[in-house]
Amino acid sequence: MHTAPLVLLMMGSDTDLPIMQEAVGILRKFDIPYEMRISSAHRSPARTMALASEAAGRGVKIIIAGAGMAAHLAGVVASKTILPVIGVPMPGGALNGVDALYATVQMPAGIPVATMAIGKAGAKNAGLFAVQILALSEPKLARSLLNYRAEMDKELEQKDAELQLR
Ligand code: RP5
């Protein structure tokens, strides 16, 4: 049986896929059903808007949108839905992601986009932020997130202990 996606991951181009895989890795780790779509605010605007406006009706709870350069994807998606939209600026191009960061984060008042860091860190955090939102109404997920944090803490402690032995 196909599980309905809770998170819709959108990206402006297939060239964004290697970065967006970081978000996918997190969603898989926490067992969150997701769907990935390539759709561009500029190159396929009608399809992008349809995907955004139909998402809530399909049971999607959160949209993650990654795009580079003049990155309007997250903003356009946010304009067509009241689901929370998490934006991930892609690196690359002449400005290496700073253009995408500004384009994604500088939304006019009224249509928010929760913007993450540029690139892999941002994509990973987008996945985690989506899990955190879902955990508000899912105690099991909240426990998994606390375990994830505890693991990170333990890993660093281990690295520190190794450093002391050098
Ligand atoms: C954006 O333009 C995409 O999100 C991508 O990051 C960037 C470049 O796209 P390609 O020319 O690599 O397809 O729309």
Side-chain angles (χ1 to χ4, degrees):
M1 200 188 71
H2 190 72
T3 322
L6 290 177
V7 177
L8 173 60
L9 280 145
M10 296 178 68
M11 64 202 86
S13 169
D14 60 328
T15 59
D16 300 324
L17 197 50
I19 303 285
M20 293 303 279
Q21 289 291 0
E22 294 289 325
V24 171
I26 292 293
L27 297 176
R28 284 199 175 153
K29 187 179 177 62
F30 288 91
D31 230 3
I32 309 292
Y34 65 89
E35 178 180 283
M36 252 196 294
R37 304 299 294 259
I38 295 167
S39 194
S40 161
H42 305 120
R43 293 168 175 159
S44 55
R47 211 160 51 80
T48 294
M49 286 190 228
L51 279 167
S53 56
E54 288 160 12
R58 296 171 50 221
V60 169
K61 302 287 181 218
I62 298 147
I63 301 178
I64 297 175
M69 302 183 74
H72 297 130
L73 182 63
V76 166
V77 166
S79 76
K80 298 297 283 185
T81 181
I82 55 164
L83 293 175
V85 175
I86 307 171
V88 186
M90 293 294 122
L95 304 182
N96 210 14
V98 174
D99 42 4
L101 171 65
Y102 285 169
T104 306
V105 79
Q106 285 290 65
M107 287 298 292
I111 308 291
V113 166
T115 305
M116 303 289 116
I118 298 168
K120 284 190 174 179
K124 187 169 185 174
N125 280 345
L128 284 167
F129 200 62
V131 178
Q132 287 180 207
I133 295 171
L134 293 171
L136 289 172
S137 54
E138 186 58 70
K140 199 169 147 241
L141 264 187
R143 282 195 296 277
S144 301
L145 276 166
L146 289 172
N147 286 340
Y148 178 82
R149 293 266 175 113
E151 279 298 315
M152 263 197 309
D153 188 8
K154 219 166 37 181
E155 255 173 52
L156 270 195
E157 203 178 309
Q158 175 72 30
K159 282 178 183 162
D160 179 54
E162 282 164 18
L163 182 65
Q164 304 315 312
L165 296 174
R166 273 193 215 164

